Amino acid sequence: MAQLGTFTADDAHELAVVTRSGFVESRHVGSAVVLDQHGEVQRRVGAPEKPIFPRSSLKPFQAIAVLNSGVQLHGAHAVLATASHTGTMKHMSTVRAMLATAGVSEDALRCPPALPQDEPTRTDMIRQGVGPQRIAMNCSGKHAAMLLACAANGWETESYLHPEHPMQRAVRDTVERFTGEKPAATAIDGCGAPVFAVSLVGLARGIARVRTSSPSSPFAIYRNAGVLVDAVLEDPWGIQGPGTPNTLVIERLGVFAKLGAEGVMAMAAADGTTVALKVLDGSGRAATLVGLELLVRAGALDRGDVDDLLPELGLAVTGGGATVGQIEVSSSL
């Protein structure tokens, strides 16, 4: 049995609970780390030094690797390169425009076909008899950006997801430079791209460096990171979708936020205070709440602003059509 992996239940700390009619029905445990605005560890919860797969929380580094390769990405195109999008028509049309710039068709995408997560768009496709499409998969923007890098550099496109392809070697180098860590493991993400295991401390360090980068930096890698952050703050609809947690947090609070599958979340406030967390059971339903709470306690966000947003994050527990409980921060956090 494989032993190398994330922290164990013995390492984890209770992050959130789910209540129903005054009874705690479920508990989410995990690990988290908070870095202050100077990049120093302010708080540890659980075992944030142990490696995890950040999953889509690595996308900012993947997008920066594309920019570093010489590709010019601006506005929504830059956002889609780092997105876990819901597949609205606007998302898909943006990805098609990126592919057209690369001079390749949708068939060049190597992410698996999917139906959109956006319910109206998915319903329309089903009614029209349209099945799963690669462009509707939530990682299609990242894949299109990688194909742009291949086109710009004359790299072979058929195997752009292979770990030894120049594109993926560039991603690994970017991850190492921003996180300050050598990956503890490499695996295949749900979209088919390599994913690199780093600690939550490393992930937070990397996201903090991205968030505090400037488009006017004398160093190209940080200029590109600054371009990416500015694009996400300008067009937050692209990073997930209208009304979704990542998009709402960026729109309303100015927080650079990037979710990852299996209960991962990374958030960086405007002053550089950064949180990275992993929910051990893989559920992401409490991740946004816990991340925001940790930023509030660190003094990076206003409690009132966060409280105003919480009703829009889908935290209510219902019974018989009425609200009977909620997902809430653990009293032991």
Side-chain angles (χ1 to χ4, degrees):
M1 179 181 296
Q3 294 299 316
L4 178 64
T6 188
F7 51 89
T8 68
D10 291 337
D11 300 317
H13 185 88
E14 187 172 274
L15 303 176
V17 298
V18 183
T19 64
R20 181 178 296 276
S21 302
F23 183 87
V24 175
E25 183 174 27
S26 300
R27 301 178 187 273
H28 292 301
V29 302
S31 288
V33 66
V34 182
L35 304 187
D36 66 21
Q37 60 207 71
H38 306 293
E40 300 297 324
V41 174
Q42 183 184 90
R43 185 179 179 191
R44 290 178 172 85
V45 179
E49 295 85 5
K50 294 196 174 181
I52 59 121
F53 284 127
R55 304 295 296 276
S56 285
S57 292
L58 280 184
K59 283 179 178 173
F61 311 122
Q62 293 167 319
I64 292 167
V66 170
L67 289 162
N68 289 343
S69 77
V71 174
Q72 297 292 313
L73 291 174
H74 299 286
H77 288 200
V79 182
L80 264 293
T82 197
S84 297
H85 67 79
T86 55
T88 65
M89 293 304 297
K90 191 174 181 180
H91 286 119
M92 289 190 282
S93 64
T94 303
V95 176
R96 288 191 178 98
M98 295 168 70
L99 292 171
T101 301
V104 298
S105 70
E106 294 178 32
D107 293 337
L109 294 169
R110 290 291 173 264
C111 52
L115 287 170
Q117 296 174 6
D118 180 68
E119 187 173 350
T121 309
R122 183 175 65 249
T123 300
D124 285 346
M125 285 178 61
I126 292 171
R127 285 174 176 167
Q128 295 171 25
V130 178
Q133 305 287 310
R134 295 184 190 275
I135 202 164
M137 199 266 173
N138 69 344
C139 299
S140 65
K142 175 182 79 175
H143 286 251
M146 290 179 175
L147 288 168
L148 277 165
C150 291
N153 290 278
W155 297 334
E156 193 270 326
T157 59
E158 190 70 23
S159 61
Y160 74 91
L161 296 181
H162 192 282
E164 294 306 316
H165 188 280
M167 180 71 257
Q168 303 309 327
R169 290 203 304 269
V171 170
R172 184 186 181 105
D173 178 67
T174 305
V175 170
E176 290 179 358
R177 292 179 69 177
F178 276 88
T179 66
E181 295 182 1
K182 296 283 187 182
T186 302
I188 304 302
D189 210 336
C191 68
V195 60
F196 304 108
V198 296
S199 72
L200 287 170
V201 174
L203 176 61
R205 184 186 300 120
I207 294 297
R209 287 172 174 169
V210 172
R211 181 65 175 90
T212 56
S213 292
S214 169
S216 61
S217 170
F219 303 102
I221 193 169
Y222 297 114
R223 284 200 303 274
N224 289 328
V227 166
L228 180 68
V229 171
D230 283 357
V232 169
L233 295 176
E234 181 69 23
D235 286 306
W237 64 268
I239 201 165
Q240 190 176 12
T244 60
N246 264 191
T247 291
L248 287 170
V249 165
I250 297 165
E251 283 178 342
R252 300 276 291 277
L253 303 174
V255 171
F256 184 82
K258 189 70 201 72
L259 58 79
E262 296 298 320
V264 180
M265 179 63 70
M267 292 179 169
D271 70 351
T273 303
T274 302
V275 169
L277 65 94
K278 159 78 176 177
V279 181
L280 186 57
D281 64 11
S283 171
R285 63 180 175 175
T288 298
L289 170 67
V290 174
L292 292 176
E293 177 66 21
L294 290 171
L295 287 175
V296 168
R297 295 187 186 184
L301 292 179
D302 179 78
R303 169 73 67 186
D305 292 340
V306 171
D307 286 348
D308 288 345
L309 178 61
L310 293 183
E312 300 178 51
L313 297 180
L315 301 173
V317 173
T318 60
T323 297
V324 297
Q326 63 183 339
I327 303 168
E328 58 188 67
V329 172
S330 170
S331 60
S332 66
L333 182 65

